[in-house]
């Protein structure tokens, strides 16, 4: 059933875009940005969110990202080239890219606290530091959608659907803490929208670059996969388990995301 839906959606988008993958990428990016926005709208109900809710949202997103890194990016790239080398180089570059961003862009995690250049620590408001942290998380996801659409439209759309699903709780993650800290509603929602727009831009950047430099696509798939793995393992998992509370719920959230992405991918066989 899902396979028929994705095939029909692929054909519809190709017809709508006259076969232009950039237009397809535009719609896919719009979808993930809207899902982030819908999650951000829950900031209106911030007082009703349980303490463990943000951790479960993050863990669900982590489960989706772990599976998507392999099933939508790394393994298809290896199969298409029958070689590990370009994918391995891409993974390394993806890790290096996010490490550099993580090292030099000031941002603040909810639990781990501030990361980035110390001289900028007191020059940005807490609101922007949290938003920058979420944008860093979202960049590999946007890149993953854009590159996978260029590689294979059906795989790309499944990736967009899965990323969109997990962007809903990620929109909650960026907006609710801000709403709680500031006792406001509009500004946190706008910050959540901003993080979704950043991801949309990365979808377009990834699709545009690898449409032009198609020979580099295996490296791009590896790069997106490595970047997602780095963010998940280095940032998200330590963040969700740092509290050492509600570990069963957090773990259940992770495996729910894991199963959702695995199910979506397996339906296309």
């Amino acid at each position: 059933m899902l396979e028929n839906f994705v095939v029909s959606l692929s054909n519809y988008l190709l017809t709508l875009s006259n076969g232009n993958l950039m237009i397809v990428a535009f719609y896919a990016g719009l979808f993930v940005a809207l899902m982030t926005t819908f999650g951000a709208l829950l900031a209106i109900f911030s007082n009703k969110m349980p303490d463990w809710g943000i951790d479960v949202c993050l863990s669900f997103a982590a489960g989706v990202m772990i599976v998507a890194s392999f099933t939508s990016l790394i393994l298809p790239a290896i199969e298409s080239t029958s070689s590990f080398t370009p994918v391995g180089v891409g993974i390394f570059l993806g890790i290096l890219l996010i490490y550099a961003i993580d090292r030099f862009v000031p941002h603040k995690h909810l639990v781990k606290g501030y990361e980035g250049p110390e001289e900028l620590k007191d020059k940005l408001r807490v609101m922007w530091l949290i938003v920058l942290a979420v944008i860093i998380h979202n960049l590999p996801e946007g890149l993953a959608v854009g590159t996978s659409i260029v590689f294979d439209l059906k795989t790309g759309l499944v990736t967009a659907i899965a990323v969109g699903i997990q962007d809903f709780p990620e929109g909650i993650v960026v907006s609710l803490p801000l709403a709680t800290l500031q006792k406001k509603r509009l500004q946190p929602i706008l910050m959540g929208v901003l993080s979704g727009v950043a991801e949309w831009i990365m979808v377009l950047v990834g699709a545009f670059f690898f449409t032009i430099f198609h020979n580099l696509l295996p490296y791009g798939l590896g790069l997106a996969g490595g970047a997602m793995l780095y963010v998940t393992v280095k940032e998200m998992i330590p963040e969700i388990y740092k509290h050492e509370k509600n570990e069963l719920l957090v773990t259940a959230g992770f495996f729910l995301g894991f199963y959702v992405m695995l199910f979506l991918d397996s339906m296309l066989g």
Side-chain angles (χ1 to χ4, degrees):
M1 182 177 178
L2 178 64
E3 182 175 6
N4 292 335
F5 169 73
V6 172
V7 170
S8 299
L9 181 60
S10 302
N11 293 333
Y12 172 73
L13 288 175
L14 282 175
T15 302
L16 189 65
S17 62
N18 292 320
N20 189 326
L21 287 180
M22 282 304 301
I23 297 178
V24 175
F26 176 89
Y27 289 124
L30 176 61
F31 170 71
V32 297
L34 286 175
M35 290 297 287
T36 306
T37 300
F38 293 150
L41 287 172
L42 286 184
I44 297 171
F45 309 104
S46 61
N47 292 332
K48 299 180 180 179
M49 185 75 168
D51 294 338
W52 47 264
I54 289 177
D55 287 340
V56 172
C57 289
L58 273 177
S59 64
F60 176 86
V64 171
M65 290 173 69
I66 285 282
V67 177
S69 299
F70 289 98
T71 60
S72 296
L73 300 165
I74 294 172
L75 294 180
I78 292 174
E79 291 173 5
S80 68
T81 59
S82 299
S83 172
F84 173 74
T85 302
V87 183
V89 171
I91 292 171
F92 174 75
L93 292 176
I95 293 170
L96 196 63
L97 173 65
I98 302 302
Y99 170 79
I101 294 174
D102 209 29
R103 176 70 176 80
F104 296 110
V105 175
H107 58 285
K108 183 180 180 68
H109 298 283
L110 299 177
V111 177
K112 291 175 64 179
Y114 178 82
E115 288 187 334
E118 284 298 322
E119 61 270 20
L120 297 177
K121 183 175 181 179
D122 299 321
K123 294 184 179 180
L124 290 173
R125 297 168 61 186
V126 171
M127 174 186 70
W128 284 107
L129 292 172
I130 294 175
V131 170
L132 286 170
V134 176
I135 288 176
I136 291 171
H137 284 185
N138 285 358
L139 294 182
E141 299 165 23
L143 185 62
V145 174
T147 53
S148 58
I149 283 175
V150 176
F151 174 74
D152 178 71
L153 183 55
K154 289 193 296 182
T155 300
L157 290 178
V158 166
T159 304
I161 292 169
V163 167
I165 290 171
Q166 62 100 39
D167 272 347
F168 181 81
E170 281 201 348
I172 299 172
V173 167
V174 67
S175 294
L176 280 182
L178 294 176
T180 302
L181 285 171
Q182 297 185 319
K183 307 300 181 183
K184 298 177 181 178
R185 294 293 180 271
L186 180 59
Q187 201 169 44
I189 290 171
L190 291 177
M191 294 302 101
V193 173
L194 177 62
S195 70
V197 170
E199 189 171 353
W200 187 5
I201 291 171
M202 282 306 297
V203 173
L204 296 173
V205 168
F208 179 74
F209 184 87
F210 291 106
T211 297
I212 296 175
F213 301 101
H214 201 272
N215 291 338
L216 296 179
L217 187 55
Y219 295 90
L221 291 168
L223 186 149
M228 286 178 70
L229 285 173
Y230 180 89
V231 165
T232 305
V233 174
K234 195 264 180 183
E235 302 285 357
M236 299 178 74
I237 291 178
E239 186 87 358
I240 60 182
Y241 281 109
K242 192 72 176 284
H243 284 116
E244 298 182 354
K245 295 188 295 184
N246 303 303
E247 290 187 354
L248 182 60
L249 280 173
V250 168
T251 304
F254 174 85
F255 280 106
L256 178 61
F258 183 95
Y259 269 101
V260 165
M261 183 63 214
L262 199 60
F263 171 76
L264 290 173
D265 187 77
S266 65
M267 290 299 289
L268 290 181

